[in-house]
Amino acid sequence: MLEQPAFGRRLKELRVERSLSQAALAGKEISTGYLSRLESGARQPTERVVNHLVRILGVERSAFDTPPSGGSLAQALSLATSAEGDQGSENLIAVLAQVREESPFLRWQALWHISRYWQRRGERAEEQACLEDMVRVADELSLPELQCRARFQLARSLRSTGEVSRALDLALNAYQLAKDAALDLPDTGGALLTLVSVEAEAGRLPDARAHVDELVDLVAGRSDTLAAEALWSAATVRFRQGDHEGARICLERAMKELDSSVDLTLWTRLRLAAASLYLQSTPPQTERGRECLQEAASALTLIGTPVLDQELLTLQTQLAFHEGRYADARRLYDELNRDELRLTYRDQVRLHILDSRLMILEGREQEGIRLLKDLGEQAQQQSNIDLAAEIWRILAECLEDVGRRRTAAEGA
């Protein structure tokens, strides 16, 4: 059997030489997620997959035995940072896997670029492995700026996959580094943003509120991306504290103050966040949620990524459910689950909550109730206290609804 990671590096080079996207090479035989893992060396190829790749690439099997041509890290980094699309990033990954003696500064820059590539694609495991390497290189260089940035980026990634405890340690460390070294606002603000999000995820809402208020004070008078993200974080904390009106004011202010020409991706994400807030309100504000999703969908035709596309489809599924279009909600849910989910841990849990509620409405009551119980226990084990509380509340409401329907049926 062909050995990794040499196979993956050679596969990537053959694909790039032929100007093939991962989707084109994967075809209908394999998923792009699996192909990405092959190229990164994370998965071993099977005979069936190798035969498929040989056929599409138009090469002999022996082509995989040829070592990749490589190139200097500086050259690959220059090409990646100046290229459109992801082709340069994929070549950079292959080159970085080969070099050993390059400058640690160059290596850190390459890792930073590659981590962004994995983040856009929603490949959490690959992103985290890259960020772990960044932390090691930053510590080797002993530069507080790089140590802070690497730590808060890794903390963000870990939070998105539900690894809250370690994310909290890293976020606190990043913030302490920023304070001790009196780093500039972008680094201090980035560390604070991360700390707030992790504390909120861990259910440490008083700490999160104190830190987000500090952050909002730091960015007062600004109308850039950091200010918009600070207001978004303030909205998140207020919402989880039960202050839905305060959350709405913060988020709508962020949307108003950030122009799409400054950062279209953040502009779009704010509208997805607002739609989520409106749909989680009691009662759900479906009309306002729909408006935000329509705006986001228009922007995603220009800057869509696999992650953002899945977030949009997830919220469209939630909207259909809250509007009572249960058949549409089930269809959209099934469409989502045909692909590898790239959502954050919290969004995946919310999606599974919706699945369980649909099961109950479809007459699969015991199956739906059992799924809700499993989700609640999992959230508790992950220390997501407020998420666990939300799940237990929904379970209680579902049990009450099931009881009412049974009583009504018996009375009839």
Side-chain angles (χ1 to χ4, degrees):
M1 186 173 286
L2 298 164
E3 294 296 324
Q4 291 284 26
F7 172 82
R9 293 198 295 268
R10 181 57 177 156
L11 171 61
K12 187 186 299 288
E13 182 172 87
L14 290 169
R15 178 176 64 77
V16 171
E17 283 175 358
R18 288 155 179 75
S19 299
L20 290 174
S21 67
Q22 287 188 329
L25 181 54
K28 296 181 179 179
E29 297 293 320
I30 57 178
S31 71
T32 54
Y34 177 71
L35 179 60
S36 178
R37 287 177 171 78
L38 283 178
E39 291 187 348
S40 70
R43 293 290 298 272
Q44 190 70 27
T46 65
E47 286 298 316
R48 180 185 69 81
V49 167
V50 171
N51 291 335
H52 167 74
L53 296 172
V54 163
R55 179 172 57 83
I56 299 299
L57 291 168
V59 298
E60 298 293 331
R61 184 188 176 94
S62 60
F64 293 110
D65 298 329
T66 304
S69 59
S72 75
L73 186 57
Q75 174 184 319
L77 184 58
S78 298
L79 292 172
T81 55
S82 61
E84 295 288 338
D86 288 331
Q87 182 170 319
S89 301
E90 293 162 3
N91 180 62
L92 180 60
I93 293 169
V95 172
L96 185 64
Q98 300 173 61
V99 299
R100 289 292 178 268
E101 305 302 327
E102 295 276 4
S103 156
F105 288 103
L106 271 180
R107 186 172 186 83
W108 198 92
Q109 286 181 284
L111 288 166
W112 179 268
H113 183 90
I114 293 167
S115 71
R116 297 293 187 166
Y117 166 78
W118 290 128
Q119 181 187 53
R120 289 194 303 274
R121 295 179 59 82
E123 301 287 354
R124 308 291 180 186
E126 288 82 355
E127 180 196 5
Q128 287 174 18
C130 189
L131 290 169
E132 296 276 11
D133 205 0
M134 280 175 59
V135 170
R136 287 191 291 270
V137 175
D139 287 345
E140 176 186 338
L141 293 168
S142 297
L143 281 176
E145 292 88 348
L146 301 189
Q147 290 175 306
C148 176
R149 292 168 199 171
R151 279 166 170 76
F152 73 64
Q153 290 293 346
L154 178 55
R156 287 180 182 181
S157 184
L158 290 167
R159 180 197 62 79
S160 74
T161 55
E163 297 182 56
V164 178
S165 296
R166 183 158 181 245
L168 185 58
D169 289 341
L170 283 162
L172 285 166
N173 189 208
Y175 180 48
Q176 194 61 50
L177 278 165
K179 288 203 301 182
D180 291 347
L183 300 184
D184 291 340
L185 180 58
D187 287 320
T188 303
L192 261 178
L193 271 172
T194 304
L195 181 57
V196 168
S197 69
V198 176
E199 287 174 333
E201 195 75 2
R204 298 174 56 164
L205 295 177
D207 292 338
R209 180 60 180 263
H211 283 128
V212 83
D213 288 346
E214 177 186 348
L215 177 61
V216 170
D217 287 342
L218 272 176
V219 300
R222 299 168 65 102
S223 57
D224 55 7
T225 56
L226 182 57
E229 289 188 283
L231 288 168
W232 181 3
S233 294
T236 300
V237 173
R238 282 162 172 75
F239 190 86
R240 294 188 189 177
Q241 287 183 314
D243 180 9
H244 293 187
E245 180 63 14
R248 180 191 64 77
I249 291 171
C250 287
L251 199 49
E252 289 180 355
R253 181 180 156 198
M255 288 193 292
K256 181 180 178 181
E257 293 182 1
L258 182 73
D259 192 274
S260 61
S261 62
V262 174
D263 189 330
L264 183 56
T265 298
L266 179 56
W267 184 93
T268 305
R269 293 179 66 215
L270 286 171
R271 278 144 185 82
L272 292 174
S276 179
L277 184 151
Y278 291 137
L279 294 178
Q280 290 180 66
S281 298
T282 306
Q285 300 179 44
T286 54
E287 186 61 35
R288 301 181 83 170
R290 188 186 307 108
E291 291 171 1
C292 288
L293 291 180
Q294 288 170 347
E295 291 181 352
S298 297
L300 286 179
T301 61
L302 300 173
I303 49 92
T305 66
V307 176
L308 290 174
D309 290 340
Q310 282 195 0
E311 288 178 5
L312 174 65
L313 187 53
T314 298
L315 289 166
Q316 289 171 333
T317 307
Q318 299 280 359
L319 176 64
F321 177 85
H322 288 301
E323 289 182 334
R325 297 183 287 112
Y326 302 128
D328 287 343
R330 173 55 74 191
R331 175 181 56 78
L332 291 168
Y333 176 87
D334 291 341
E335 184 177 336
L336 264 169
N337 278 282
R338 279 199 292 270
D339 298 319
E340 184 178 353
L341 286 178
R342 301 166 186 263
L343 304 170
T344 65
Y345 168 77
R346 180 175 285 266
D347 285 344
Q348 288 196 39
V349 170
R350 286 218 173 96
L351 189 61
H352 294 320
I353 290 171
L354 184 141
D355 181 31
S356 67
R357 298 179 77 175
L358 286 172
M359 288 178 186
I360 292 170
L361 290 168
E362 292 161 353
R364 295 182 287 161
E365 295 172 354
Q366 293 305 312
E367 189 177 353
I369 289 169
R370 185 169 58 252
L371 176 56
L372 278 173
K373 289 180 178 177
D374 291 343
L375 291 170
E377 290 169 358
Q378 180 187 85
Q380 279 189 227
Q381 292 169 1
Q382 294 280 359
S383 300
N384 281 274
I385 307 303
D386 67 313
L387 183 58
E390 178 185 347
I391 296 168
W392 296 130
R393 176 184 58 78
I394 291 171
L395 175 59
E397 291 173 357
C398 289
L399 288 170
E400 187 177 353
D401 288 343
V402 168
R404 274 200 301 267
R405 287 198 298 271
R406 287 177 179 172
T407 299
E410 289 169 1

